Amino acid sequence: MFQYDYPQFEKKRLLRVEMLDKLRDYPKNFLELSLKEYGDGVISGCGITWDNHRLTIDSGMILWKKNLYFMEQPFVLECKAEDKVRFLKVQFMAEIREAGRITANTRIFLEDKKPDPSCEMELCRFRLQEGARLRDSHENFQDYSTGFDTINIINQPYGAPGGTTLNPCMIRQFSREILRSGSTDPFDISFSATALSSHGLVASEFILEYLFAKLEEDYSGKSNQEIYNGLLEVLRTRRSGEIKRTQGNQGKRGMMLL
């Protein structure tokens, strides 16, 4: 049965071990139940910025193999231009068991190789050219795939109900562009409104069903990059349709004026 049981600390009453145990376990149990259906990936924070040849990863939470890892302070590392694709990765180290505690640490580093899925997670990738600045902001949805001098978070796994998904900031950008395009397609309106109301955090299943409805293609089992490409195709199709309709309407107006 469901139960609420929280210790009360009052004057002139003994402090029992059971009371401290309940206080200790309450937040842990709450987090575990809240994230029970989530896939591995970033849960919160971990924003990435670049300035003066240094990368800064903001504080945040990451879920990895059902364990929640916290980083309470920003992490900074050197990042100079090398004009080649580099990967910012988190490596998960083996557990350390000692008297009264279990700890598991991580290592954040830059490397030329793609992450090892058995023990590493990608936070971003980029190719920084000599004399250029590494952009951490994006002008539009297509800009997230810019190959040079831009932080690319497409392949960063983000934890969501049912599995991993795309970073919410990308979904928010896509949704805004679809709505501002003036689309009257109920699939576009429903998807975008739902995504924006949830601050961009949507289950991958929701995205896959939307892509199937729009492109008539099954994206199940495909990578973040392929799903991103599918969403980009939806936007391109929408924009090309706008151009054709505008040209057609201009032609009709011209005939009427003549």
Side-chain angles (χ1 to χ4, degrees):
M1 63 180 178
F2 294 99
Q3 182 183 23
Y4 178 80
D5 187 359
Y6 197 77
Q8 293 295 306
F9 299 93
E10 299 173 345
K11 290 183 179 180
K12 298 181 180 180
R13 298 198 64 175
L14 292 175
L15 182 62
R16 301 191 306 273
V17 173
E18 293 81 1
M19 297 171 68
L20 295 177
D21 287 343
K22 289 185 181 295
L23 191 64
R24 176 202 63 195
D25 294 339
Y26 186 84
K28 180 176 182 294
N29 293 340
F30 174 79
L31 284 172
E32 286 181 351
L33 290 172
S34 298
L35 302 175
K36 184 178 180 180
E37 304 298 329
Y38 276 56
D40 288 345
V42 174
I43 298 297
S44 179
C46 302
I48 303 165
T49 55
W50 183 92
D51 185 52
N52 195 27
H53 304 293
R54 296 195 304 174
L55 274 176
T56 300
I57 301 93
D58 290 339
S59 56
M61 298 187 296
I62 289 179
L63 187 66
W64 177 260
K65 296 184 178 178
K66 302 303 178 183
N67 291 311
L68 194 59
Y69 291 73
F70 297 87
M71 187 167 71
E72 297 181 357
Q73 300 295 330
F75 183 85
V76 180
L77 72 163
E78 292 295 320
C79 175
K80 296 182 179 179
E82 295 189 8
D83 199 13
K84 59 183 177 181
V85 178
R86 304 180 74 191
F87 300 86
L88 178 63
K89 304 189 291 187
V90 179
Q91 183 181 44
F92 298 88
M93 317 299 285
E95 283 186 347
I96 300 174
R97 295 175 178 266
E98 50 191 19
R101 64 185 302 190
I102 301 174
T103 60
N105 291 316
T106 61
R107 183 168 73 100
I108 302 175
F109 63 106
L110 281 168
E111 197 173 47
D112 303 339
K113 299 187 299 183
K114 290 185 177 182
D116 178 353
S118 67
C119 62
E120 295 175 344
M121 178 184 296
E122 178 178 332
L123 291 180
C124 76
R125 64 180 68 177
F126 56 85
R127 182 170 181 173
L128 180 59
Q129 300 177 100
E130 187 68 35
R133 293 183 57 84
L134 186 61
R135 291 192 300 128
D136 50 58
S137 60
H138 303 83
E139 297 179 359
N140 50 46
F141 188 71
Q142 184 174 352
D143 194 26
Y144 280 94
S145 58
T146 299
F148 292 89
D149 309 322
T150 306
I151 290 176
N152 182 326
I153 58 171
I154 293 173
N155 294 282
Q156 175 197 97
Y158 207 95
T164 59
T165 188
L166 294 175
N167 190 295
C169 66
M170 298 173 60
I171 299 298
R172 290 198 302 271
Q173 182 63 43
F174 172 84
S175 300
R176 286 193 294 265
E177 291 184 31
I178 280 289
L179 290 177
R180 291 173 183 176
S181 73
S183 174
T184 57
D185 187 327
F187 288 115
D188 290 340
I189 297 172
S190 176
F191 178 87
S192 300
T194 301
L196 290 175
S197 67
S198 62
H199 303 286
L201 180 60
V202 296
S204 60
E205 183 180 10
F206 187 34
I207 303 175
L208 299 183
E209 292 297 333
Y210 172 70
L211 288 174
F212 184 78
K214 296 293 294 183
L215 303 177
E216 297 183 353
E217 182 178 347
D218 186 4
Y219 278 76
S220 300
K222 294 193 175 183
S223 65
N224 271 16
Q225 181 67 59
E226 292 170 312
I227 293 172
Y228 168 84
N229 291 341
L231 292 172
L232 190 58
E233 179 62 25
V234 171
L235 275 177
R236 287 171 174 165
T237 301
R238 171 66 190 159
R239 289 166 181 161
S240 64
E242 283 183 327
I243 294 172
K244 289 179 180 178
R245 285 195 299 275
T246 301
Q247 290 175 341
N249 290 337
Q250 288 177 343
K252 289 179 182 179
R253 285 197 295 270
M255 291 175 64
M256 290 174 65
L257 288 172
L258 288 172

